[in-house]
Amino acid sequence: MSDSVKLTYQNKTFEFPIVEGSENEKGIDIKTLRAQTGLITFDPGFKNTGSCNSGITFLNGEEGILRYRGYSIEELCEKASFIEVAFLLIFGELPTEKELALFNNEIREDSLVDEDLKSILKSFPKAAHPMGVLSSLTSGLIAFNPNSVDVESEAEMREAIIMLIAKFPILASWTHRKVKGLPLNYANTALSYVENVAHMMFKLPHQDFKPSPVLVGALNKLLILHADHEQNCSTSTVRIVGSSQAGLFASVSAGVSALWGPLHGGANQAVIEMLESIQADGGDTKKYMAKAKDKNDPFRLMGFGHRVYKNFDPRARIIKKAADEVLQELGINDPVLEIAKSLEQEALRDPYFIDRKLYPNVDFYSGIIYRALGIPTEMFTVMFALGRLPGWIAQWLEMRKNNEPIGRPRQIYTGKQNRSI
Ligand code: CMC
């Protein structure tokens, strides 16, 4: 007989089956809990709640394992391009040479947006944060491509996916060009997807631009490392918005907003801002370590800690190595980076951080690389979004194909009881 869990409540015993994943992760299937017992579970932040079955990404936070469709993140970073990883996440297998060529061609063909989108961009003030602008422009794509997508139609789904992968980097680069007052660039079809990310952001009208191999290599790794991370805040947002049968673009636009927050993707920007303010305050890292540990002080060491990784963040290991290589290759000597190193060393020795299993996460080092590559701080989270796009698409598609019910948690009401005026 398969495993089950028994729950005793008001002298009655109820039985709930155990569900088991392909990597032996186990959960209690409580689908009938309320119907049987009248009880709900209470789990703020969903720390113990599995919201779906998923065959996309496997993550083991205790052992620091991250795999996309069964392939380790370490191997993918060494051997694959970002666009191959995108194909893998969305379609389930790495592409053959022919499939890859077709995929790249389709993306190139679709690398244009309606010129009228520029008027939406124009209406934002220059000081608008690029993540807010990106979320709005992604949503704006719907108005220019209003056909709803039948998820059962492979052709329609593919068309929507290609459209989004092709147009999203254009919109992302425009958020940067807008802040800088630069003319808006389009992709150069002679370049690869990752080269085009750099091209569209940095190419100036009066100068040649050839993305350096260091820049492209680092970007490729960073985008792959951010490509999916199972049911994180932004991905859960994409799935829950999509569960109301809202379209792909609307769901991804919501995902961009969720990613923006400093406890999620916005942490990479927050890390550099924190390091800069420590530097401006005299560079006393011990003072900031004390603040981070003081329960009366809201300050947190940005770039440390993770909901799932309680040993190390495998993405952080790869990025730390890449950061060291990039800094060495570019011969960069940055006092802010020295502060980062001191904080890292102090935190790794400190019982507060050791006891709570708080290690540097992906955002601690990604901000450092982006800064070294000359990417402006306010664009860091946009770079994260560019990487996360295939994950959002894959998770949205899986959710729709599995016909998941609309996401709608319950609550424990703690407000006033019935009363009259
Ligand atoms: N600095 C100081 N203390 C911390 C930190 C930190 N960065 N992170 C967690 N703690 C403490 C927290 O105060 C709590 O202490 P206590 O048990 O004494 O009350 C304990 O560690 C557990 O923290 P939590 O907030 O319950 O953990 P969580 O799983 O809810 O939060 C987190 C995870 C990532 C939101 C949190 O660690 C954090 O705020 N980190 C800083 C922001 C950051 O770097 N975010 C990027 C996450 S990785 C990128 C991504 O996937 O989005």
Side-chain angles (χ1 to χ4, degrees):
M1 205 185 118
S2 58
D3 271 352
S4 66
V5 159
K6 288 196 174 83
L7 174 76
T8 304
Y9 175 61
Q10 292 181 338
N11 296 326
K12 281 194 201 142
T13 300
F14 306 92
E15 197 165 348
F16 299 95
I18 296 289
V19 283
E20 189 167 347
S22 51
E23 291 282 354
N24 307 321
E25 286 184 312
K26 290 183 181 173
I28 309 166
D29 178 348
I30 53 134
K31 281 203 284 291
T32 62
L33 176 70
R34 189 164 179 276
Q36 285 198 61
T37 66
L39 298 171
I40 61 167
T41 57
F42 181 63
D43 186 22
F46 310 123
K47 291 192 179 193
N48 307 280
T49 298
S51 59
C52 58
N53 284 318
S54 181
I56 301 171
T57 289
F58 173 67
L59 200 168
N60 179 328
E62 280 70 36
E63 291 176 30
I65 295 172
L66 176 60
R67 296 188 203 123
Y68 299 157
R69 302 278 190 192
Y71 295 104
S72 81
I73 191 74
E74 288 80 8
E75 191 177 12
L76 288 170
C77 270
E78 280 308 311
K79 301 184 185 160
S81 69
F82 173 63
I83 214 70
E84 286 171 304
V85 170
F87 189 99
L88 169 71
L89 285 166
I90 297 167
F91 301 112
E93 295 295 338
L94 281 165
T96 61
E97 235 172 82
K98 210 169 141 200
E99 285 169 332
L100 182 62
L102 175 67
F103 193 48
N104 271 321
N105 266 345
E106 287 173 312
I107 292 171
R108 284 195 186 105
E109 294 275 303
D110 237 332
S111 292
L112 270 180
V113 294
D114 193 302
E115 280 286 297
D116 282 350
L117 256 180
K118 288 184 178 170
S119 53
I120 300 182
L121 182 70
K122 210 170 162 203
S123 59
F124 281 98
K126 253 193 183 170
H129 193 283
M131 282 297 278
V133 180
L134 181 61
S135 173
S136 304
L137 293 181
T138 308
S139 194
L141 279 180
I142 305 162
F144 297 96
N145 304 279
N147 291 345
S148 63
V149 180
D150 174 5
V151 281
E152 298 307 323
S153 155
E154 239 170 72
E156 278 185 34
M157 250 349 287
R158 192 177 173 100
E159 200 184 324
I161 290 167
I162 300 282
M163 214 186 265
L164 194 51
I165 296 182
K167 298 179 194 315
F168 197 70
I170 303 175
L171 305 183
S173 76
W174 283 8
T175 67
H176 166 64
R177 312 285 291 193
K178 161 91 186 176
V179 173
K180 299 286 172 201
L182 294 168
L184 305 177
N185 271 348
Y186 276 107
N188 173 347
T189 52
L191 299 176
S192 72
Y193 190 84
V194 174
E195 285 172 327
N196 261 320
V197 167
H199 164 84
M200 287 190 281
M201 268 179 72
F202 295 127
K203 164 87 178 79
L204 298 177
H206 60 303
Q207 285 171 7
D208 285 339
F209 177 78
K210 178 123 186 50
S212 76
V214 179
L215 176 68
V216 175
L219 277 184
N220 191 56
K221 258 192 195 135
L222 283 159
L223 294 173
I224 292 176
L225 287 174
H226 286 92
D228 195 45
H229 212 230
E230 52 120 296
Q231 306 313 316
N232 56 84
C233 176
S234 58
T235 301
S236 298
T237 301
V238 169
R239 283 184 90 123
I240 210 160
V241 173
S243 76
S244 74
Q245 303 198 352
L248 177 62
F249 298 173
S251 307
V252 166
S253 160
V256 174
S257 297
L259 187 71
W260 190 0
L263 297 190
H264 190 12
N268 53 18
Q269 174 173 343
V271 167
I272 292 296
E273 285 168 354
M274 171 187 79
L275 296 174
E276 283 172 346
S277 68
I278 297 176
Q279 186 197 24
D281 191 25
D284 183 357
T285 48
K286 295 209 164 44
K287 174 176 164 187
Y288 284 85
M289 287 291 292
K291 274 166 76 60
K293 295 188 279 183
D294 179 356
K295 290 290 162 204
N296 297 317
D297 189 325
F299 176 78
R300 280 192 166 196
L301 212 51
M302 299 313 287
F304 275 77
H306 196 276
R307 171 61 60 81
V308 185
Y309 294 122
K310 299 298 176 194
N311 184 345
F312 65 92
D313 180 341
R315 303 167 302 170
R317 279 203 174 160
I318 299 172
I319 293 201
K320 180 176 163 49
K321 191 162 166 273
D324 289 343
E325 285 164 10
V326 166
L327 295 180
Q328 205 180 2
E329 273 183 73
L330 299 178
I332 286 179
N333 204 347
D334 183 343
V336 162
L337 303 184
E338 293 308 315
I339 293 175
K341 277 188 200 154
S342 305
L343 274 182
E344 181 196 9
Q345 279 158 17
E346 284 168 39
L348 290 175
R349 283 196 305 259
D350 192 301
Y352 173 97
F353 286 84
I354 295 170
D355 292 350
R356 288 168 180 76
K357 302 185 191 313
L358 302 171
Y359 298 93
N361 59 47
V362 68
D363 290 319
F364 190 69
Y365 302 108
S366 64
I368 292 172
I369 300 199
Y370 291 140
R371 182 178 162 99
L373 294 175
I375 293 169
T377 313
E378 70 280 1
M379 282 298 287
F380 288 4
T381 316
V382 171
M383 300 308 295
F384 191 152
L386 276 170
R388 185 54 53 89
L389 181 68
W392 287 332
I393 295 173
Q395 300 269 354
W396 184 91
L397 190 57
E398 181 182 70
M399 180 273 309
R400 290 299 303 272
K401 286 202 159 165
N402 288 351
N403 234 337
E404 282 173 20
I406 185 166
R408 204 298 186 188
R410 288 187 174 259
Q411 63 170 13
I412 301 289
Y413 176 69
T414 57
K416 297 267 188 278
Q417 289 191 320
N418 188 21
R419 55 181 175 166
S420 42
I421 299 166

